[in-house]
Amino acid sequence: MRNLIQKLKKMILALFALVAGSVLLLFLLLLLYSPGKPAPLKDNNGKPLAGSVSEKVFLEIGGVRQGMFIRGKSLSNPVLLYLHGGMPDYFLTPRYPMVLEEYFTVVWWEQRWAGMSYHPGTRPEAITPEQLISDTRELTNYLRGRFGQEKIYLLGRSGGSFFGIQAAARFPELYHAYIGIGQMSDQLHSERLAYQYMLDSYRLAGDGGMVRRLEACPVNDHIPAAYLRIRDQAMHRIGVGTTRAMRSVVSGMFFPSLTFKEYTLKEKFNLWRGKAAAGVHPLWGTILSTDLSRQVNRAEIPVYFLHGRYDYTVSYTLAKHYFEVFQAPEKAFFTFEHSAHSPHFEEPERVREVLELILKGRETY
């Protein structure tokens, strides 16, 4: 018996040592992948590209320290301020070919509560649309001064489009144009459409397990918490989530964030800590109770919507309706036939064509 106990102790110690060693190795690997320095843009010979910019910047905006990446191939290009949709997505750019930096100096701003701008004392429910609109205006004015440009471009993606289009409508003197990717309008209606589409799709596929899970949390005049717990999984499994090809947030977003070298280890931790605290979006309650097509349907600058045909995170159909009722001196709706919620990641060549069309009209407004 004593020998058996001793053997068990040795086995437990060995197992503990194995687990501890694995954790330590994982920690060291994460440190190796977390120098936290922005990668320079390079020419065809692998040397830093002359006249380009690649910076990681922290500013006090609205009294809060907030971070951003600034990247572009030429400082002579116009500036574009990118408003992410609920959590920063700049860390996905190594995985997806990007064209924005060829045409713009892109400012990948991580808004208060998110990523590099996350602070443990921040309560998501304390963040308001007015605060984010004010932050957007303050950062815009900083960029105008720093880069010597009278106006810049504003791009709102998903949740960022909710307050982005409001900022563009309110401060037209600051912007050449507004670009909405996955443009929100009536998000509660969008969630109902997504729920019904997924339920019908899983029934057709004979996936009884997912059908039962969806039927247990119907979406009608409110969004059940149980639905939000399966929403991402259900969308991604049938290709109507972040991208058509992304089948899991874990493999498609979590793992790429861990290997992204321009974040420190603490920033990687805060990226997901902020997302967990905020849920879908810090403004989620306000977003669900607002129909932008009724409240914000006019701007004095050109407005462009880019939307994936298979986007059910934010309804393609409702974005089309919003576009039809929106009044602007120039407007255009661009459909991406092979995309879900991220056409700028999924169809970069089509985005290139669209950006060239948008920039051609730059001197006319």
Side-chain angles (χ1 to χ4, degrees):
M1 177 63 76
R2 181 177 295 177
N3 289 339
L4 179 60
I5 292 174
Q6 288 178 342
K7 287 182 179 180
L8 285 174
K9 286 182 177 179
K10 289 181 179 179
M11 289 176 61
I12 291 171
L13 287 173
L15 181 61
F16 177 80
L18 179 62
V19 171
S22 299
V23 170
L24 179 60
L25 178 60
L26 177 60
F27 178 75
L28 292 174
L29 284 172
L30 285 174
L31 278 180
L32 181 65
Y33 276 95
S34 308
K37 296 180 180 180
L41 287 160
K42 297 180 179 180
D43 61 21
N44 294 333
N45 297 317
K47 296 181 179 180
L49 184 64
S52 65
V53 59
S54 179
E55 298 180 1
K56 186 178 185 178
V57 176
F58 291 90
L59 299 171
E60 186 171 293
I61 305 171
V64 175
R65 185 174 185 266
Q66 301 188 39
M68 65 204 72
F69 294 94
I70 301 178
R71 292 196 28 115
K73 290 189 173 182
S74 173
L75 289 171
S76 63
N77 284 339
V79 172
L80 181 145
L81 176 55
Y82 182 98
L83 310 178
H84 65 73
M87 72 174 294
D89 51 8
Y90 171 65
F91 69 87
L92 289 174
T93 56
R95 174 169 286 199
Y96 297 98
M98 285 296 295
V99 298
L100 291 178
E101 293 163 1
E102 296 179 20
Y103 298 92
F104 301 99
T105 295
V106 186
V107 181
W108 301 87
W109 171 36
E110 307 199 348
Q111 304 136 26
R112 60 174 69 214
W113 96 79
M116 297 188 297
S117 304
Y118 175 77
H119 300 284
T122 302
R123 294 181 299 108
E125 59 270 22
I127 297 171
T128 66
E130 285 300 320
Q131 182 65 70
L132 292 179
I133 292 169
S134 176
D135 286 356
T136 302
R137 183 187 188 189
E138 185 175 338
L139 178 54
T140 295
N141 283 328
Y142 164 81
L143 297 171
R144 292 168 65 218
R146 174 178 170 178
F147 292 99
Q149 298 186 13
E150 182 181 354
K151 297 182 179 183
I152 69 171
Y153 286 83
L154 185 64
L155 187 157
R157 188 272 174 105
S158 189
S161 73
F162 178 77
F163 63 92
I165 199 166
Q166 296 184 64
R170 195 175 301 182
F171 311 116
E173 71 279 5
L174 303 182
Y175 303 108
H176 288 296
Y178 171 77
I179 302 168
I181 295 181
Q183 178 64 51
M184 285 186 164
S185 55
D186 183 352
Q187 191 59 25
L188 180 57
H189 191 184
S190 175
E191 295 296 330
R192 288 195 291 260
L193 293 175
Y195 173 82
Q196 192 59 53
Y197 176 84
M198 290 189 290
L199 189 58
D200 291 344
S201 297
Y202 282 112
R203 282 173 175 163
L204 186 63
D207 189 335
M210 184 59 77
V211 169
R212 286 189 293 273
R213 293 174 70 187
L214 287 168
E215 288 179 336
C217 50
V219 175
N220 36 62
D221 291 334
H222 75 285
I223 309 295
Y227 169 72
L228 292 179
R229 286 194 290 270
I230 64 170
R231 176 178 180 266
D232 281 351
Q233 178 188 6
M235 285 184 175
H236 284 95
R237 276 177 52 180
I238 56 173
V240 296
T242 306
T243 73
R244 288 284 286 155
M246 189 182 295
R247 291 294 181 262
S248 165
V249 171
V250 174
S251 61
M253 298 188 74
F254 181 69
F255 289 151
S257 75
L258 296 184
T259 57
F260 183 62
K261 292 187 176 182
E262 297 182 35
Y263 279 145
T264 65
L265 190 55
K266 180 180 179 181
E267 288 163 353
K268 292 175 181 179
F269 178 70
N270 282 342
L271 178 74
W272 291 100
R273 190 179 180 185
K275 179 60 177 174
V280 179
H281 195 282
L283 301 179
W284 188 236
T286 303
I287 288 171
L288 290 178
S289 64
T290 303
D291 183 354
L292 288 174
S293 67
R294 294 178 180 272
Q295 297 188 21
V296 185
N297 51 29
R298 177 190 295 271
E300 297 175 15
I301 58 174
V303 169
Y304 307 99
F305 288 179
L306 285 64
H307 218 102
R309 174 79 71 178
Y310 294 94
D311 188 354
Y312 277 86
T313 302
V314 175
S315 168
Y316 170 83
T317 302
L318 294 182
K320 286 274 286 188
H321 169 72
Y322 189 20
F323 170 79
E324 289 166 2
V325 302
F326 202 92
Q327 299 180 43
E330 177 183 325
K331 66 177 186 176
F333 190 102
F334 299 96
T335 296
F336 289 76
E337 298 288 353
H338 308 291
S339 294
H341 195 46
S342 308
H344 55 316
F345 292 147
E346 299 175 85
E347 296 184 63
E349 289 307 315
R350 168 72 168 146
V351 170
R352 184 191 304 276
E353 296 171 1
V354 169
L355 293 179
E356 288 175 353
L357 288 173
I358 290 173
L359 288 170
K360 279 181 180 178
R362 183 181 176 193
E363 299 302 321
T364 68
Y365 48 79

